[in-house]
Amino acid sequence: MAERLPPYLDGCEDVLTSLDDAHVLTIRINRPKARNALRTQLLKELSEVLGKATHDDAVRAVVLTGGDKVFAAGADITEMADKTPVDVMNDPRAAYWLAIRNFPKPMIGAVNGFCLGGGNELAMHCDVLIAGTSAQFGQPEINLGIIPGAGGTQRLTQMIGKSKAMKLVLSGQFMSANEAERAGLVGEVCEPELTIEKATALAKLIASKPPVAARLAKESVLKASDAMLHEGMAFERRSFTTLFATEDKQEGVSAFMEKRKPTFKGR
Ligand code: CAA
């Protein structure tokens, strides 16, 4: 377990880290009170841990996990409340996401519980996902008057196809672990208690392979889809930024924070 070994990177609050002697670095997202919402500090810490691991030969594979009930509930909505489009344009989060995207070593995601919004976008940055039967995947940003902003519209569509991606992105509904496996989002489904064990076993197996070949294998597989990703992500980012100027975004975020149903007016 991540907590029993000394931290891989000192000073982190939102992520717990440990490196085992099989060259597997485990990173656990750890903000249970806020349902592991990805506040800016958390993304910064994650990008710093991955930055250190990139240049550390002792790390050959990573397991990224969350809690029993929540992998991550998306961006921290309280941080979004007062943001303007200009704030979003200047947001350091974009650089942290880029660092996560550019992490060159194999990363296995172990997902239990809610995996939503930016949480699902983070999960999709993993190279393989192992999900417990309790996992639920979704892009509920539409309920806040916005859309995914970290590649969700693009990666999800590539992974599960247009119709299923549209269903999640437009309705805000969730997808079960079994459905996610059938759709191609998830590599394997298991009992929730076994998720981390299975992800770690796979990471250990990968860590036993030649590291340079593993790195180039990852890069090559990503080339199958990354070339198409760039333009779509730029479009998504512009749309996401624009939505921060709408009354509906103010209403969606306020309604979430005030625990009430939003009323959207198309303004
Ligand atoms: N940001 C900030 N706080 C959050 C949060 C989030 N994404 N999700 C949950 N919380 C907080 C709640 O406000 C609540 O705080 P208090 O205890 O202070 O009231 C606490 O976590 C517990 O939340 P719930 O009572 O709602 O917990 P639950 O177990 O009943 O439900 C949940 C869990 C289904 C994940 C629900 O909390 C939820 O729907 N969260 C929001 C999911 C969401 O909309 N994600 C998308 C965010 S936008 C985004 O992700 C865009 C992007 O990256 C670019």
Side-chain angles (χ1 to χ4, degrees), residues 31-39 43 69-70 72-80 93 97 114-121 136 138-144 146-152 174 236-237 240 244 256-257 259:
R31 285 190 76 207
K33 279 190 186 142
R35 300 297 185 267
N36 283 350
L38 305 172
R39 65 174 170 176
L43 285 185
K69 299 204 169 74
V70 188
D76 190 312
I77 297 168
T78 61
E79 280 186 346
M80 300 189 336
R93 296 171 67 87
W97 278 114
F114 295 112
C115 182
L116 304 177
N120 194 39
E121 291 174 304
Q136 296 197 65
Q139 298 289 161
E141 287 91 342
I142 193 97
N143 298 329
L144 301 168
I146 56 169
I147 63 171
F174 302 161
E236 178 196 85
R237 193 71 199 163
F240 178 80
F244 276 70
F256 178 81
M257 289 166 63
K259 301 185 190 293

Side-chain angles (χ1 to χ4, degrees), residues 69-99:
K69 299 204 169 74
V70 188
F71 176 75
D76 190 312
I77 297 168
T78 61
E79 280 186 346
M80 300 189 336
D82 299 322
K83 267 188 196 159
T84 65
V86 176
D87 294 331
V88 177
M89 276 169 63
N90 294 327
D91 203 328
R93 296 171 67 87
Y96 304 144
W97 278 114
L98 191 63

Side-chain angles (χ1 to χ4, degrees), residues 44 60 139 169 183 260 263:
K44 179 170 186 279
R60 293 186 178 184
Q139 298 289 161
V169 171
R260 61 173 172 80
T263 307

Side-chain angles (χ1 to χ4, degrees), residues 1-3 14-17 26-30 65-68 196:
M1 297 287 282
E3 294 89 330
D14 288 359
V15 293
L16 303 174
T17 54
T26 301
I27 305 174
R28 185 194 291 269
I29 304 166
N30 186 45
T65 192
D68 295 343
I196 295 177

